[in-house]
Amino acid sequence: MEKLVVILLVLPLFCNGQTVDQTIQPHARGEDVVDAVIGRIRSSCILSDDKYFMKRIAAVETDYGKNSSPNNGGIWKVTNNILNSVINSCQTTTRTICNEILQTFNFDISKATFLQMDVPLYSGLTMYTYITNTITNIPTSSHSQALLWQAHIRPTGNTNMFIAKSSISFSCSAVKMELVFAIDASGSVGSDNFNSTLIFLTNVVRKLQIAPDMTRVAVIRFSHIATISFDLDTYYSVSSMTSKISSIKYTGGGTATYSAIDTARINVFKKARKNVPKVFVLVTDGYSNDKDLTVKAADTLKQNATTIFTIGVGSVNHQEMLAVASSPNCIHYYSLNSYSEIDGIISEIQRESCEAPVEVDMTSGLVNDTEIDNNPIPSGNETKTQTVHIQSSNTTDNSQNMTKVKVAVICGIVQVYASNTFKKPSAAFHAYSAIAIDGKPGWVQSAANQILFLSFFSRKRFDLATSACTHPHYNISINPPDEGVKIICKENGIARECTRNDITQSFGPLCGDDNIPNPCTKTNILNNIMRFKHPKSTTKYIQFLPRIALYTTAQIHAP
Ligand SMILES: *[C@@H]1O[C@H](CO)[C@@H](O)[C@H](O)[C@H]1NC(C)=O
Ligand SMILES: *[C@@H]1O[C@H](CO)[C@@H](O)[C@H](O)[C@H]1NC(C)=O
Ligand SMILES: *[C@@H]1O[C@H](CO)[C@@H](O)[C@H](O)[C@H]1NC(C)=O
Ligand SMILES: *[C@@H]1O[C@H](CO)[C@@H](O)[C@H](O)[C@H]1NC(C)=O
Ligand SMILES: *[C@@H]1O[C@H](CO)[C@@H](O)[C@H](O)[C@H]1NC(C)=O
Ligand SMILES: *[C@@H]1O[C@H](CO)[C@@H](O)[C@H](O)[C@H]1NC(C)=O
Ligand SMILES: *[C@@H]1O[C@H](CO)[C@@H](O)[C@H](O)[C@H]1NC(C)=O
């Protein structure tokens, strides 16, 4: 009988170039699509912060599109009245916005038709423009938003139903991050407002998983000088941290914001773990003593791979706050009328900081192999989102001029989405994707001279033996060393090129998830177990050969 031996040499399977954009696909639906639409609109900075109002409306009106029907206004159930109001405002109050939308999204709202609302992006843009035109200042609480929704969008709507259906949930568990707050204790703030800031800090910290290998938090208090209230390695429990926060004293004095930013960079972030997201949140109420110094200090911090959020309360200098915040600054700057509103942005700050990116700078072209290792996966069944931005260049020192990213997982499933243009790629919007399961890494690659944005959605697997699951995690390797990318086939002792059929039969479809795990695990290799029965055929074997062995002892027998 003929014996076919398929020899597997750790093969990265790139499933690239299948650009997915559900935001412009009529009738696409689901929370992913809603998030992608809002994400695209918000990162364009054409329309301002909606404080989750758009997401809540999508949840309430159509359950994220799941209850929408064709030609009925799409995910946001845009009515004829709303559409006409927006078309009219394009000639007057929202002329600039409509023009910018045309430039950025190639959608001419001023000539929009009701049928076009079936396209998620168009339904979203129309509703967003309507809200911006009718509501000058969107409040943060879902209760206040429910009243506005009833007043401007759905007069027959039930506000209790709005509140019940529109709770926003997300997971901050198993997040590794260095989170540093700088809080303004200057004279203009006053002790009551300073107290509100402390309560805000307490509420933000409560939802985080504080631990030496997870999220670490530091607080800097500043007025004319900056003082570290506690450092990244001072407290490793929420209770000790919140009790310290409540004892931070108000001082009064000037507003040396640059000094707080420099203290963060020079004294606090110097302890940051390698390749862990660094997040700086500035809470202030006024003009800094020196705008130029402040913006310069912020630029230096941003260049050092740190994401900056600014929360400006009251009569702040908006230009300064926008210049300090990370780009796109409309997403990273929160403008509040008073400290009483600060509670309303707790979940936004939690979510945005928990998903802040690891910034990997490979522009020097010298780095071949960057590891972002031991990314924990939540122990429950929630899905964690991690983002990584890779700034690469065409001088990157690898032979193919490609940025290649590998993700390997233990006890979990990691879905990877990547894009060269959109900072938060997802199932609904991406250019590249891959999936990793135990023993079967996922790969994505893109041209090296383009910035690459990646999202990793991970969750634990509950179908594996518990021994594999004591420490569910995944590792991300950027441009890992060549692991030997070859499959060869030997039939009756004679080597030949593998046909696509050989490979498909052995490993399932070339791209995507299949049910045949790659047997060549590290453990198997270390134990010298390198031959495996073919899962689907009695006349075939799979044999793993380390790369070196291929060229020295090409002697393969079926066991
Ligand atoms: C801060 O506010 C809390 C709750 O409103 C109050 O119990 C506490 O006394 C306040 N602390 C200061 C210093 O005002
Ligand atoms: C950038 O940050 C790292 C730690 O994350 C620190 O070691 C380094 O000194 C910083 N560079 C500058 C210019 O501050
Ligand atoms: C990067 O990898 C190439 C081979 O792929 C090697 O020649 C080069 O020395 C490596 N560069 C560094 C900085 O390790
Ligand atoms: C998964 O989450 C659901 C709630 O969303 C919960 O009812 C269920 O018990 C969880 N399962 C596990 C294995 O944690
Ligand atoms: C790399 O790209 C930059 C612009 O993207 C270009 O100016 C430069 O010539 C390129 N270098 C090489 C070696 O191709
Ligand atoms: C990589 O880019 C450089 C500069 O653009 C070019 O000279 C070289 O041939 C490219 N290498 C490959 C393998 O495409
Ligand atoms: C991840 O990297 C660590 C070393 O940093 C290693 O111990 C672990 O086995 C790796 N996990 C996977 C899934 O490759």
Side-chain angles (χ1 to χ4, degrees):
M1 187 190 268
E2 291 196 343
K3 295 257 185 229
L4 176 68
V5 182
V6 178
I7 300 156
L8 167 70
L9 292 154
V10 195
L11 173 75
L13 295 174
F14 292 102
C15 296
N16 274 338
Q18 309 133 326
T19 301
V20 169
D21 182 359
Q22 294 193 343
T23 67
I24 51 166
Q25 190 184 309
H27 313 301
R29 52 188 60 186
E31 198 171 342
D32 271 348
V33 178
V34 169
D35 284 340
V37 167
I38 297 171
R40 286 190 68 190
I41 298 176
R42 285 219 50 206
S43 57
S44 74
C45 286
I46 297 173
L47 295 151
S48 60
D49 182 15
D50 70 305
K51 310 210 169 77
Y52 287 131
F53 194 28
M54 284 288 291
K55 184 155 183 181
R56 290 188 168 116
I57 296 170
V60 174
E61 290 287 349
T62 64
D63 192 13
Y64 303 116
K66 283 169 229 146
N67 299 335
S68 64
S69 40
N71 203 6
N72 200 19
I75 290 178
W76 279 271
K77 247 192 200 168
V78 172
T79 59
N80 256 315
N81 280 348
I82 290 176
L83 178 59
N84 288 332
S85 153
V86 171
I87 289 172
N88 287 335
S89 74
C90 280
Q91 307 306 324
T92 55
T93 41
T94 63
R95 185 192 298 267
T96 318
I97 292 173
C98 295
N99 277 335
E100 287 179 61
I101 287 172
L102 177 61
Q103 302 300 318
T104 309
F105 298 106
N106 199 19
F107 172 50
D108 189 350
I109 295 201
S110 68
K111 297 198 179 80
T113 64
F114 196 60
L115 193 58
Q116 281 183 308
M117 298 301 114
D118 284 348
V119 176
L121 181 65
Y122 301 162
S123 178
L125 281 166
T126 307
M127 182 59 85
Y128 215 144
T129 308
Y130 176 74
I131 291 170
T132 305
N133 192 40
T134 38
I135 303 166
T136 35
N137 210 329
I138 300 172
T140 53
S141 80
S142 64
H143 181 262
S144 313
Q145 289 182 3
L147 295 172
L148 286 174
W149 167 73
Q150 197 187 45
H152 296 281
I153 294 164
R154 187 71 49 195
T156 56
N158 177 329
T159 54
N160 288 330
M161 195 260 300
F162 183 98
I163 295 163
K165 274 203 181 173
S166 65
S167 71
I168 305 289
S169 75
F170 59 92
S171 164
C172 257
S173 58
V175 170
K176 272 189 184 178
M177 162 172 59
E178 313 289 14
L179 177 58
V180 177
F181 292 94
I183 55 173
D184 187 346
S186 67
S188 53
V189 175
S191 64
D192 281 355
N193 286 335
F194 188 72
N195 197 1
S196 302
T197 310
L198 299 184
I199 294 167
F200 165 76
L201 286 190
T202 305
N203 286 328
V204 171
V205 163
R206 279 210 179 111
K207 187 149 182 189
L208 306 176
Q209 202 174 340
I210 309 283
D213 57 347
M214 295 285 183
T215 294
R216 309 195 304 170
V217 179
V219 172
I220 297 166
R221 178 194 61 187
F222 70 97
S223 51
H224 56 286
I225 53 159
T227 321
I228 300 171
S229 302
F230 59 88
D231 212 334
L232 288 170
D233 54 2
T234 315
Y235 296 109
Y236 288 137
S237 82
V238 170
S239 60
S240 54
M241 191 177 286
T242 53
S243 104
K244 171 66 191 181
I245 288 171
S246 62
S247 74
I248 299 174
K249 294 278 178 292
Y250 174 66
T251 56
T255 312
T257 313
Y258 46 86
S259 159
I261 299 172
D262 283 341
T263 302
R265 179 175 57 83
I266 297 162
N267 303 105
V268 181
F269 282 122
K270 72 162 192 253
K271 292 183 179 163
R273 292 160 288 173
K274 195 169 182 282
N275 287 330
V276 168
K278 293 185 281 186
V279 180
F280 180 71
V281 182
L282 171 69
V283 188
T284 183
D285 84 320
Y287 285 55
S288 76
N289 294 355
D290 189 324
K291 181 184 170 213
D292 290 345
L293 279 182
T294 300
V295 172
K296 213 170 146 219
D299 283 343
T300 314
L301 183 56
K302 282 184 274 189
Q303 275 156 24
N304 204 354
T306 305
T307 302
I308 304 185
F309 294 94
T310 54
I311 302 173
V313 189
S315 57
V316 291
N317 182 340
H318 293 290
Q319 293 315 315
E320 180 178 350
M321 290 289 104
L322 286 166
V324 168
S326 287
S327 157
N329 51 21
C330 58
I331 295 182
H332 294 94
Y333 170 43
Y334 297 89
S335 168
L336 306 177
N337 292 321
S338 77
Y339 275 94
S340 61
E341 289 181 2
I342 201 167
D343 262 7
I345 60 165
I346 290 167
S347 66
E348 273 180 284
I349 286 290
Q350 281 165 335
R351 185 200 187 114
E352 293 295 336
S353 55
C354 285
E355 293 180 5
V358 180
E359 300 278 359
V360 181
D361 185 351
M362 303 182 83
T363 44
S364 66
L366 291 174
V367 195
N368 268 347
D369 178 16
T370 299
E371 293 284 333
I372 306 172
D373 276 349
N374 290 311
N375 303 286
I377 295 174
S379 54
N381 61 8
E382 63 268 46
T383 299
K384 166 180 157 181
T385 309
Q386 178 180 20
T387 56
V388 174
H389 296 173
I390 304 172
Q391 192 91 53
S392 203
S393 81
N394 51 5
T395 57
T396 299
D397 188 10
N398 73 22
S399 51
Q400 287 108 5
N401 289 346
M402 298 300 269
T403 301
K404 296 182 189 174
V405 180
K406 174 188 172 190
V407 54
V409 61
I410 297 282
C411 190
I413 299 177
V414 185
Q415 184 75 56
V416 188
Y417 296 104
S419 164
N420 301 115
T421 53
F422 184 49
K423 284 197 169 183
K424 289 200 169 169
S426 67
F429 191 98
H430 61 265
Y432 322 103
S433 71
I435 189 163
I437 55 172
D438 292 62
K440 214 171 165 190
W443 292 81
V444 294
Q445 65 172 0
S446 133
N449 59 357
Q450 282 178 297
I451 189 163
L452 187 62
F453 304 110
L454 298 128
S455 304
F456 298 83
F457 298 93
S458 60
R459 63 174 198 277
K460 188 175 158 178
R461 274 173 74 179
F462 291 96
D463 60 336
L464 295 175
T466 45
S467 63
C469 283
T470 48
H471 176 42
H473 70 278
Y474 58 96
N475 292 350
I476 302 165
S477 318
I478 302 161
N479 294 337
D482 189 354
E483 290 181 61
V485 183
K486 265 198 179 70
I487 289 182
I488 58 169
C489 285
K490 278 207 157 192
E491 201 160 2
N492 295 327
I494 297 164
R496 61 165 170 78
E497 291 274 299
C498 292
T499 63
R500 192 177 174 89
N501 204 24
D502 293 331
I503 298 168
T504 312
Q505 282 182 20
S506 300
F507 307 110
L510 276 176
C511 284
D513 193 7
D514 62 66
N515 294 320
I516 308 173
N518 176 352
C520 305
T521 60
K522 213 169 188 170
T523 319
N524 277 341
I525 293 162
L526 289 176
N527 292 327
N528 212 23
I529 304 171
M530 301 211 184
R531 283 177 188 172
F532 309 91
K533 282 212 164 86
H534 195 286
K536 286 185 183 162
S537 163
T538 51
T539 61
K540 292 181 187 170
Y541 299 87
I542 297 173
Q543 168 152 352
F544 173 70
L545 276 192
R547 188 176 172 75
I548 309 290
L550 175 66
Y551 301 108
T552 52
T553 57
Q555 181 202 18
I556 300 123
H557 300 291

